[in-house]
Amino acid sequence: MKTLVSFFMVLFSLFHARQGPLPKVFSGERTDIIQQQLKQQAATAFQAQVLPAPELEWAQRRRQLKAAILQSTGAVEHHALPLQIKETGRTQLTGYHIRNILFQTRPGVFATANLYIPDGKGPFPAVINMHGHWKDARMGEMVQATAHSLALNGYVCLNIDAWGAGERTTDEGVTEYHGANLGASLMNTGNTLLGMQLTDNMRGVDLLCSLPEVDKERIGATGASGGGNQTMWLSAMDERIKAAVPVVSVGTFESYIMNSNCVCELVPDGLTYTEESGILAMVAPRALKICNALNDASRSFYPSEMLRSYKQAALVYEALHASDKLSYQLFNTVHGYWPEIRETMIGWMDLQLKHIGTGAPKKEPVFSLLPPAQLLTFPNGGRDSSVTTTASWCSREGQLLHERLLNEKIDGEAKRKALRQLLRINEKRVLKQAHNYSSQDGWKRIALETTDGSLIPLLLRAPRGKNKDYVVVTHPGGKDSVPAAVISELTTAGKGIVLADLWGCGEQGSAAATATDGSLPPYHTLARSALWLGTTVQGRWVSDLQIITDYLKMANSEGRVVLNGSREAGVASLFFTALGGKVNEVVLDGSPLSYRFDERAGIDYFTMAIHVPGLLVWGDISLAAALTGKDILFRKPVTMSGRLLSDAGLAAPREEFSLLRKRCKQPGQTIFQ
């Protein structure tokens, strides 16, 4: 190990050296195999999700779906938790008033919101109105307009800031996108952004039910875009919602795959047990009206996709003798909650919750939007610390889970089994055939074909002299991102070199996914798509490493194998070895020492490939290193935000890694440089 350490000290001192172009394994135009595979898997999942028609059979299926959704999303029902409503401001308008409030959604967690309450004697029907990715969150123009219109038509309306939005962003008064790596960080703690929103919204219904001004038997839900998505999930999970109007949000989960959707619309493993039609059907026999735009830019919400889900859900409504409670309407608009859609929603709510009218659109009354500053729960700054942000939640939960790890009894085999399940590894995927192409620039060009139809591109340079060792070098940017210094030093040492493009990397990448990512962090599209279909990027990389090392062992049974992975690829190398991968040593360069969230700044240092739902509930990087029983070298380790750790900052990790290694009763050592 000391020799290896010295070697890599020299090797990585030239980390940023420039290199010339490496040979390509494949020639000419490449087929986007990943896109085709994921699309095919999604199509199969859609086709397989047949909803049971008999009433008793559906009742059982609905219970199963609810339990699965709670498990997948991390959502919790806290109906007995005190609401602790705090009012911080009130505005009287003609015919109604608005309260600026704060209320408890989880123990010690408070949400910011507005209540629009009609004048006069109640109780009134009520509607929880959820926002999408609009500017100013609950105070945005379309969200606010919906609330004004509802209040003027005799409805109590609750506008709530979605988790991580509005007054719930990391820095008070600073707008941020709650998705991407920030929202995805919740998954590492065993939660999801969708689950946090769902929990908040169920508590919003608790709040409405607690108000003397509200008739708790007449509560509806609505919202557009991401708010429409929340409407669908809330109405499916909470039977107190008697009428729901999701706007420009219903499509199919199949259409989410390889498309640009937010992390707030992600349910890990969702497509392994349901389609969107199943969630819509869970609303039955309660009233549901779907509103979509003919000119929506997102294919996830195309009317054609919505109709596929609608037709399947309609079968359940028919079986429950509630066909009159399900309808849809298309509008000649673009994405948004426009006046004609709001008028349709009001007329339909009148029919379903007030039992008046025919359900036809109702002319929207005249009102004036308020400046967002007038609706703030904390108008002069000084936000209450009880308003938990994604950053503060992840930091706190990570610390609590870390303390549990250091004190729990460790069963190594049970932990390995649990890790494999977390990574969602396909154990049936094996090497089918190795394709050997002509050598170029001293590199053997090889493609490993797997039984699932994938091709893993390799550039291989055999060891020289008596040396039989191979170093498998991986990088999340693909083999072209491997520094020239690494290749040069390995070559000088006579080591065999394997430059591998893991799933989604380099020549095994997906042009469609990269184009869809746009300005979002790399692997945004692939990570979400994989999770919907029941796998993870890390799991796919572990599977690729298994196939690569199996191939090397077949070709060179006597040689040692060292894995040298950069950043997220280094983590996959560690996980592979912890699961019993046949390697001798692992080197991680620029990889994190822990999955714990440390700070908001730099949250996109790692790509979306890093996330593994529930990883911190299982353990952490230190536990994975302990389970390997091999020598592990961390070169320039960092935090999850990419902060380089000083010698002083490495003292606690050294102690932790050593402690867990002893408790797991495993040989080897972990060294940090």
PDB file of all heavy atoms in Angstrom, residues 1-2 78 106 123 179 211-212 214 230 240 245 249 287 325 373 378 395 409 445 460 464 470 533 561 617 629 666:
ATOM      1  N   MET A   1       0.832  -1.213   0.000  1.00  0.00           N
ATOM      2  CA  MET A   1       0.000   0.000   0.000  1.00  0.00           C
ATOM      3  C   MET A   1       0.860   1.254   0.000  1.00  0.00           C
ATOM      4  O   MET A   1       0.562   2.228  -0.666  1.00  0.00           O
ATOM      5  CB  MET A   1      -0.939  -0.012   1.220  1.00  0.00           C
ATOM      6  CG  MET A   1      -1.888   1.183   1.272  1.00  0.00           C
ATOM      7  SD  MET A   1      -3.053   1.168  -0.099  1.00  0.00           S
ATOM      8  CE  MET A   1      -3.988   2.646   0.225  1.00  0.00           C
ATOM      9  N   LYS A   2       1.982   1.249   0.755  1.00  0.00           N
ATOM     10  CA  LYS A   2       2.853   2.430   0.808  1.00  0.00           C
ATOM     11  C   LYS A   2       3.421   2.743  -0.572  1.00  0.00           C
ATOM     12  O   LYS A   2       3.553   3.905  -0.964  1.00  0.00           O
ATOM     13  CB  LYS A   2       3.974   2.202   1.815  1.00  0.00           C
ATOM     14  CG  LYS A   2       3.499   2.196   3.271  1.00  0.00           C
ATOM     15  CD  LYS A   2       4.657   2.020   4.226  1.00  0.00           C
ATOM     16  CE  LYS A   2       4.171   2.036   5.678  1.00  0.00           C
ATOM     17  NZ  LYS A   2       5.285   1.849   6.625  1.00  0.00           N
ATOM     18  N   HIS A  78     -49.058  13.482   9.477  1.00  0.00           N
ATOM     19  CA  HIS A  78     -48.885  14.021  10.831  1.00  0.00           C
ATOM     20  C   HIS A  78     -50.172  14.698  11.314  1.00  0.00           C
ATOM     21  O   HIS A  78     -50.146  15.809  11.826  1.00  0.00           O
ATOM     22  CB  HIS A  78     -47.754  15.058  10.846  1.00  0.00           C
ATOM     23  CG  HIS A  78     -46.372  14.498  10.893  1.00  0.00           C
ATOM     24  ND1 HIS A  78     -45.960  13.587  11.839  1.00  0.00           N
ATOM     25  CD2 HIS A  78     -45.293  14.712  10.100  1.00  0.00           C
ATOM     26  CE1 HIS A  78     -44.684  13.275  11.637  1.00  0.00           C
ATOM     27  NE2 HIS A  78     -44.264  13.943  10.589  1.00  0.00           N
ATOM     28  N   ARG A 106     -44.181  19.472   9.886  1.00  0.00           N
ATOM     29  CA  ARG A 106     -43.465  18.365  10.509  1.00  0.00           C
ATOM     30  C   ARG A 106     -42.984  18.869  11.862  1.00  0.00           C
ATOM     31  O   ARG A 106     -42.960  20.080  12.081  1.00  0.00           O
ATOM     32  CB  ARG A 106     -42.255  17.921   9.655  1.00  0.00           C
ATOM     33  CG  ARG A 106     -42.601  17.222   8.349  1.00  0.00           C
ATOM     34  CD  ARG A 106     -41.345  16.946   7.533  1.00  0.00           C
ATOM     35  NE  ARG A 106     -41.634  16.303   6.258  1.00  0.00           N
ATOM     36  CZ  ARG A 106     -41.366  15.034   5.963  1.00  0.00           C
ATOM     37  NH1 ARG A 106     -40.783  14.257   6.868  1.00  0.00           N
ATOM     38  NH2 ARG A 106     -41.648  14.530   4.784  1.00  0.00           N
ATOM     39  N   PRO A 123     -69.860  28.060   7.684  1.00  0.00           N
ATOM     40  CA  PRO A 123     -68.588  27.649   7.083  1.00  0.00           C
ATOM     41  C   PRO A 123     -68.666  27.612   5.555  1.00  0.00           C
ATOM     42  O   PRO A 123     -69.713  27.339   4.981  1.00  0.00           O
ATOM     43  CB  PRO A 123     -68.362  26.260   7.664  1.00  0.00           C
ATOM     44  CG  PRO A 123     -69.735  25.731   7.922  1.00  0.00           C
ATOM     45  CD  PRO A 123     -70.562  26.913   8.317  1.00  0.00           C
ATOM     46  N   GLY A 179     -35.200  22.349  -7.249  1.00  0.00           N
ATOM     47  CA  GLY A 179     -34.929  21.014  -7.775  1.00  0.00           C
ATOM     48  C   GLY A 179     -33.449  20.755  -7.969  1.00  0.00           C
ATOM     49  O   GLY A 179     -32.609  21.214  -7.201  1.00  0.00           O
ATOM     50  N   LEU A 211     -60.164  25.134  10.745  1.00  0.00           N
ATOM     51  CA  LEU A 211     -60.693  26.501  10.766  1.00  0.00           C
ATOM     52  C   LEU A 211     -62.214  26.506  10.932  1.00  0.00           C
ATOM     53  O   LEU A 211     -62.924  25.776  10.221  1.00  0.00           O
ATOM     54  CB  LEU A 211     -60.331  27.232   9.472  1.00  0.00           C
ATOM     55  CG  LEU A 211     -58.839  27.436   9.184  1.00  0.00           C
ATOM     56  CD1 LEU A 211     -58.661  28.084   7.814  1.00  0.00           C
ATOM     57  CD2 LEU A 211     -58.196  28.292  10.269  1.00  0.00           C
ATOM     58  N   PRO A 212     -62.747  27.343  11.818  1.00  0.00           N
ATOM     59  CA  PRO A 212     -64.206  27.435  11.968  1.00  0.00           C
ATOM     60  C   PRO A 212     -64.880  27.969  10.707  1.00  0.00           C
ATOM     61  O   PRO A 212     -66.079  27.722  10.489  1.00  0.00           O
ATOM     62  CB  PRO A 212     -64.380  28.391  13.148  1.00  0.00           C
ATOM     63  CG  PRO A 212     -63.106  29.164  13.230  1.00  0.00           C
ATOM     64  CD  PRO A 212     -62.034  28.235  12.759  1.00  0.00           C
ATOM     65  N   VAL A 214     -64.350  26.986   7.754  1.00  0.00           N
ATOM     66  CA  VAL A 214     -64.312  25.983   6.686  1.00  0.00           C
ATOM     67  C   VAL A 214     -65.236  24.809   6.986  1.00  0.00           C
ATOM     68  O   VAL A 214     -65.260  24.287   8.111  1.00  0.00           O
ATOM     69  CB  VAL A 214     -62.871  25.467   6.485  1.00  0.00           C
ATOM     70  CG1 VAL A 214     -62.847  24.256   5.557  1.00  0.00           C
ATOM     71  CG2 VAL A 214     -61.990  26.573   5.921  1.00  0.00           C
ATOM     72  N   GLN A 230     -48.741  18.477  -7.751  1.00  0.00           N
ATOM     73  CA  GLN A 230     -49.035  18.350  -6.319  1.00  0.00           C
ATOM     74  C   GLN A 230     -50.515  18.069  -6.097  1.00  0.00           C
ATOM     75  O   GLN A 230     -50.882  17.297  -5.203  1.00  0.00           O
ATOM     76  CB  GLN A 230     -48.633  19.633  -5.598  1.00  0.00           C
ATOM     77  CG  GLN A 230     -47.146  19.907  -5.579  1.00  0.00           C
ATOM     78  CD  GLN A 230     -46.829  21.238  -4.933  1.00  0.00           C
ATOM     79  OE1 GLN A 230     -47.097  21.450  -3.757  1.00  0.00           O
ATOM     80  NE2 GLN A 230     -46.263  22.158  -5.713  1.00  0.00           N
ATOM     81  N   ARG A 240     -59.821  13.434   2.012  1.00  0.00           N
ATOM     82  CA  ARG A 240     -60.596  14.610   2.427  1.00  0.00           C
ATOM     83  C   ARG A 240     -60.772  15.584   1.267  1.00  0.00           C
ATOM     84  O   ARG A 240     -61.634  16.458   1.332  1.00  0.00           O
ATOM     85  CB  ARG A 240     -59.910  15.291   3.611  1.00  0.00           C
ATOM     86  CG  ARG A 240     -59.876  14.450   4.878  1.00  0.00           C
ATOM     87  CD  ARG A 240     -59.026  15.103   5.961  1.00  0.00           C
ATOM     88  NE  ARG A 240     -57.623  15.221   5.568  1.00  0.00           N
ATOM     89  CZ  ARG A 240     -56.679  15.795   6.317  1.00  0.00           C
ATOM     90  NH1 ARG A 240     -56.999  16.320   7.488  1.00  0.00           N
ATOM     91  NH2 ARG A 240     -55.431  15.852   5.891  1.00  0.00           N
ATOM     92  N   VAL A 245     -58.744  19.762  -9.373  1.00  0.00           N
ATOM     93  CA  VAL A 245     -58.547  20.285 -10.725  1.00  0.00           C
ATOM     94  C   VAL A 245     -57.047  20.490 -10.969  1.00  0.00           C
ATOM     95  O   VAL A 245     -56.505  21.566 -10.701  1.00  0.00           O
ATOM     96  CB  VAL A 245     -59.299  21.614 -10.945  1.00  0.00           C
ATOM     97  CG1 VAL A 245     -59.123  22.089 -12.397  1.00  0.00           C
ATOM     98  CG2 VAL A 245     -60.777  21.466 -10.617  1.00  0.00           C
ATOM     99  N   SER A 249     -50.671  19.712 -16.179  1.00  0.00           N
ATOM    100  CA  SER A 249     -49.739  18.885 -15.409  1.00  0.00           C
ATOM    101  C   SER A 249     -49.910  17.390 -15.630  1.00  0.00           C
ATOM    102  O   SER A 249     -49.008  16.623 -15.296  1.00  0.00           O
ATOM    103  CB  SER A 249     -49.899  19.175 -13.911  1.00  0.00           C
ATOM    104  OG  SER A 249     -51.225  18.899 -13.496  1.00  0.00           O
ATOM    105  N   ALA A 287     -64.491  13.638  -7.210  1.00  0.00           N
ATOM    106  CA  ALA A 287     -64.545  14.417  -8.452  1.00  0.00           C
ATOM    107  C   ALA A 287     -63.151  14.840  -8.919  1.00  0.00           C
ATOM    108  O   ALA A 287     -62.335  15.308  -8.120  1.00  0.00           O
ATOM    109  CB  ALA A 287     -65.426  15.646  -8.249  1.00  0.00           C
ATOM    110  N   LYS A 325     -68.100  11.808 -12.412  1.00  0.00           N
ATOM    111  CA  LYS A 325     -67.192  12.590 -11.566  1.00  0.00           C
ATOM    112  C   LYS A 325     -65.837  12.838 -12.225  1.00  0.00           C
ATOM    113  O   LYS A 325     -65.002  13.556 -11.669  1.00  0.00           O
ATOM    114  CB  LYS A 325     -66.970  11.865 -10.230  1.00  0.00           C
ATOM    115  CG  LYS A 325     -68.204  11.791  -9.346  1.00  0.00           C
ATOM    116  CD  LYS A 325     -68.600  13.180  -8.841  1.00  0.00           C
ATOM    117  CE  LYS A 325     -69.743  13.108  -7.855  1.00  0.00           C
ATOM    118  NZ  LYS A 325     -70.102  14.462  -7.342  1.00  0.00           N
ATOM    119  N   ALA A 373     -44.769  41.792  -1.538  1.00  0.00           N
ATOM    120  CA  ALA A 373     -44.297  42.230  -0.221  1.00  0.00           C
ATOM    121  C   ALA A 373     -45.428  42.302   0.790  1.00  0.00           C
ATOM    122  O   ALA A 373     -45.217  42.109   1.996  1.00  0.00           O
ATOM    123  CB  ALA A 373     -43.612  43.592  -0.337  1.00  0.00           C
ATOM    124  N   PHE A 378     -43.047  37.164   6.602  1.00  0.00           N
ATOM    125  CA  PHE A 378     -42.004  37.938   7.281  1.00  0.00           C
ATOM    126  C   PHE A 378     -41.682  39.164   6.415  1.00  0.00           C
ATOM    127  O   PHE A 378     -40.715  39.156   5.649  1.00  0.00           O
ATOM    128  CB  PHE A 378     -40.754  37.076   7.506  1.00  0.00           C
ATOM    129  CG  PHE A 378     -41.024  35.830   8.309  1.00  0.00           C
ATOM    130  CD1 PHE A 378     -41.175  34.604   7.680  1.00  0.00           C
ATOM    131  CD2 PHE A 378     -41.160  35.900   9.688  1.00  0.00           C
ATOM    132  CE1 PHE A 378     -41.445  33.456   8.410  1.00  0.00           C
ATOM    133  CE2 PHE A 378     -41.424  34.751  10.427  1.00  0.00           C
ATOM    134  CZ  PHE A 378     -41.575  33.524   9.794  1.00  0.00           C
ATOM    135  N   SER A 395     -28.814  19.110   6.294  1.00  0.00           N
ATOM    136  CA  SER A 395     -27.699  19.179   7.246  1.00  0.00           C
ATOM    137  C   SER A 395     -28.079  18.523   8.564  1.00  0.00           C
ATOM    138  O   SER A 395     -27.316  17.723   9.126  1.00  0.00           O
ATOM    139  CB  SER A 395     -27.300  20.635   7.484  1.00  0.00           C
ATOM    140  OG  SER A 395     -26.786  21.210   6.305  1.00  0.00           O
ATOM    141  N   LYS A 409     -25.026  -1.175  15.888  1.00  0.00           N
ATOM    142  CA  LYS A 409     -24.343  -2.446  15.727  1.00  0.00           C
ATOM    143  C   LYS A 409     -24.332  -2.793  14.245  1.00  0.00           C
ATOM    144  O   LYS A 409     -25.350  -2.697  13.563  1.00  0.00           O
ATOM    145  CB  LYS A 409     -25.069  -3.534  16.525  1.00  0.00           C
ATOM    146  CG  LYS A 409     -24.343  -4.859  16.563  1.00  0.00           C
ATOM    147  CD  LYS A 409     -25.073  -5.849  17.469  1.00  0.00           C
ATOM    148  CE  LYS A 409     -24.335  -7.187  17.530  1.00  0.00           C
ATOM    149  NZ  LYS A 409     -25.039  -8.148  18.422  1.00  0.00           N
ATOM    150  N   ARG A 445      -8.782  -1.507 -28.783  1.00  0.00           N
ATOM    151  CA  ARG A 445     -10.143  -0.963 -28.715  1.00  0.00           C
ATOM    152  C   ARG A 445     -11.123  -2.127 -28.542  1.00  0.00           C
ATOM    153  O   ARG A 445     -11.174  -3.033 -29.378  1.00  0.00           O
ATOM    154  CB  ARG A 445     -10.471  -0.154 -29.956  1.00  0.00           C
ATOM    155  CG  ARG A 445      -9.559   1.072 -30.136  1.00  0.00           C
ATOM    156  CD  ARG A 445      -9.974   1.911 -31.337  1.00  0.00           C
ATOM    157  NE  ARG A 445      -9.921   1.129 -32.559  1.00  0.00           N
ATOM    158  CZ  ARG A 445     -10.804   1.256 -33.567  1.00  0.00           C
ATOM    159  NH1 ARG A 445     -11.801   2.111 -33.468  1.00  0.00           N
ATOM    160  NH2 ARG A 445     -10.675   0.519 -34.648  1.00  0.00           N
ATOM    161  N   LEU A 460      -7.589  -0.319 -23.927  1.00  0.00           N
ATOM    162  CA  LEU A 460      -6.764  -1.178 -23.081  1.00  0.00           C
ATOM    163  C   LEU A 460      -5.325  -1.167 -23.574  1.00  0.00           C
ATOM    164  O   LEU A 460      -5.052  -1.305 -24.766  1.00  0.00           O
ATOM    165  CB  LEU A 460      -7.321  -2.597 -23.074  1.00  0.00           C
ATOM    166  CG  LEU A 460      -6.687  -3.604 -22.125  1.00  0.00           C
ATOM    167  CD1 LEU A 460      -7.721  -4.606 -21.635  1.00  0.00           C
ATOM    168  CD2 LEU A 460      -5.540  -4.363 -22.830  1.00  0.00           C
ATOM    169  N   ARG A 464       3.541  -4.150 -19.062  1.00  0.00           N
ATOM    170  CA  ARG A 464       4.823  -4.459 -19.684  1.00  0.00           C
ATOM    171  C   ARG A 464       5.699  -5.284 -18.750  1.00  0.00           C
ATOM    172  O   ARG A 464       5.600  -5.172 -17.523  1.00  0.00           O
ATOM    173  CB  ARG A 464       5.562  -3.171 -20.060  1.00  0.00           C
ATOM    174  CG  ARG A 464       4.841  -2.331 -21.100  1.00  0.00           C
ATOM    175  CD  ARG A 464       5.805  -1.369 -21.811  1.00  0.00           C
ATOM    176  NE  ARG A 464       6.709  -0.716 -20.896  1.00  0.00           N
ATOM    177  CZ  ARG A 464       6.445   0.428 -20.265  1.00  0.00           C
ATOM    178  NH1 ARG A 464       5.267   0.997 -20.445  1.00  0.00           N
ATOM    179  NH2 ARG A 464       7.341   0.980 -19.470  1.00  0.00           N
ATOM    180  N   TYR A 470      -3.434  -4.461 -13.633  1.00  0.00           N
ATOM    181  CA  TYR A 470      -4.242  -3.546 -14.429  1.00  0.00           C
ATOM    182  C   TYR A 470      -4.846  -2.485 -13.509  1.00  0.00           C
ATOM    183  O   TYR A 470      -5.296  -2.789 -12.390  1.00  0.00           O
ATOM    184  CB  TYR A 470      -5.379  -4.277 -15.140  1.00  0.00           C
ATOM    185  CG  TYR A 470      -4.986  -4.858 -16.480  1.00  0.00           C
ATOM    186  CD1 TYR A 470      -4.600  -6.195 -16.593  1.00  0.00           C
ATOM    187  CD2 TYR A 470      -4.999  -4.068 -17.624  1.00  0.00           C
ATOM    188  CE1 TYR A 470      -4.245  -6.737 -17.818  1.00  0.00           C
ATOM    189  CE2 TYR A 470      -4.644  -4.594 -18.854  1.00  0.00           C
ATOM    190  CZ  TYR A 470      -4.268  -5.922 -18.949  1.00  0.00           C
ATOM    191  OH  TYR A 470      -3.914  -6.443 -20.158  1.00  0.00           O
ATOM    192  N   LEU A 533     -37.388   4.221 -13.189  1.00  0.00           N
ATOM    193  CA  LEU A 533     -37.441   2.848 -13.695  1.00  0.00           C
ATOM    194  C   LEU A 533     -36.825   1.829 -12.737  1.00  0.00           C
ATOM    195  O   LEU A 533     -36.692   0.658 -13.061  1.00  0.00           O
ATOM    196  CB  LEU A 533     -36.733   2.773 -15.048  1.00  0.00           C
ATOM    197  CG  LEU A 533     -37.466   3.534 -16.173  1.00  0.00           C
ATOM    198  CD1 LEU A 533     -36.546   3.762 -17.363  1.00  0.00           C
ATOM    199  CD2 LEU A 533     -38.717   2.767 -16.600  1.00  0.00           C
ATOM    200  N   VAL A 561      -5.927  -6.205  -9.821  1.00  0.00           N
ATOM    201  CA  VAL A 561      -6.760  -5.159 -10.409  1.00  0.00           C
ATOM    202  C   VAL A 561      -6.929  -4.031  -9.399  1.00  0.00           C
ATOM    203  O   VAL A 561      -7.316  -4.265  -8.246  1.00  0.00           O
ATOM    204  CB  VAL A 561      -8.145  -5.692 -10.838  1.00  0.00           C
ATOM    205  CG1 VAL A 561      -9.033  -4.544 -11.333  1.00  0.00           C
ATOM    206  CG2 VAL A 561      -7.995  -6.752 -11.920  1.00  0.00           C
ATOM    207  N   VAL A 617     -29.314   6.786   5.418  1.00  0.00           N
ATOM    208  CA  VAL A 617     -30.072   5.924   6.330  1.00  0.00           C
ATOM    209  C   VAL A 617     -29.344   4.592   6.474  1.00  0.00           C
ATOM    210  O   VAL A 617     -29.304   3.994   7.547  1.00  0.00           O
ATOM    211  CB  VAL A 617     -31.508   5.709   5.811  1.00  0.00           C
ATOM    212  CG1 VAL A 617     -32.294   4.804   6.760  1.00  0.00           C
ATOM    213  CG2 VAL A 617     -32.220   7.055   5.643  1.00  0.00           C
ATOM    214  N   GLY A 629     -12.716  -4.347   3.042  1.00  0.00           N
ATOM    215  CA  GLY A 629     -11.623  -5.211   3.470  1.00  0.00           C
ATOM    216  C   GLY A 629     -10.375  -5.024   2.623  1.00  0.00           C
ATOM    217  O   GLY A 629      -9.459  -5.845   2.659  1.00  0.00           O
ATOM    218  N   GLN A 666     -12.715  -5.925   9.486  1.00  0.00           N
ATOM    219  CA  GLN A 666     -12.198  -6.102   8.138  1.00  0.00           C
ATOM    220  C   GLN A 666     -10.726  -5.690   8.079  1.00  0.00           C
ATOM    221  O   GLN A 666     -10.315  -4.743   8.750  1.00  0.00           O
ATOM    222  CB  GLN A 666     -13.007  -5.256   7.149  1.00  0.00           C
ATOM    223  CG  GLN A 666     -14.434  -5.738   6.931  1.00  0.00           C
ATOM    224  CD  GLN A 666     -14.490  -7.074   6.217  1.00  0.00           C
ATOM    225  OE1 GLN A 666     -13.687  -7.353   5.319  1.00  0.00           O
ATOM    226  NE2 GLN A 666     -15.428  -7.918   6.626  1.00  0.00           N
TER     227      GLN A 666
END
